[in-house]
Amino acid sequence: DANDPVWSNDSQTVAYAAVKDGVRQIFTHRIGSPSPTLAFESKEDPKWLDDWSPDDAWLLFQHQTTTL
């Protein structure tokens, strides 16, 4: 159920979106690590992962909002 994979600039970590408790969240998984890390959690859904910042400190993503 994971999608939108984006490799870090140093090619050591992949970020992706996956469903946790029924809502899509953003995770990272470093090469050699036994398990992923929850990078961003929010009840707002959907979210789309786009890219890493040049220094790999930040993740850029979008989420849909409803305008009334």
Side-chain angles (χ1 to χ4, degrees), residues 16 27-38:
Y16 57 92
F27 295 85
T28 59
H29 199 137
R30 187 155 179 87
I31 292 175
S33 174
S35 59
T37 300
L38 181 61

Side-chain angles (χ1 to χ4, degrees), residues 30-49:
R30 187 155 179 87
I31 292 175
S33 174
S35 59
T37 300
L38 181 61
F40 182 79
E41 183 174 30
S42 168
K43 64 181 179 177
E44 294 183 15
D45 203 29
K47 299 174 205 56
W48 297 279
L49 188 57

Side-chain angles (χ1 to χ4, degrees), residues 8-10 51-59:
S8 61
N9 295 297
D10 68 2
D51 207 352
W52 290 82
S53 63
D55 63 359
D56 290 333
W58 300 92
L59 289 165

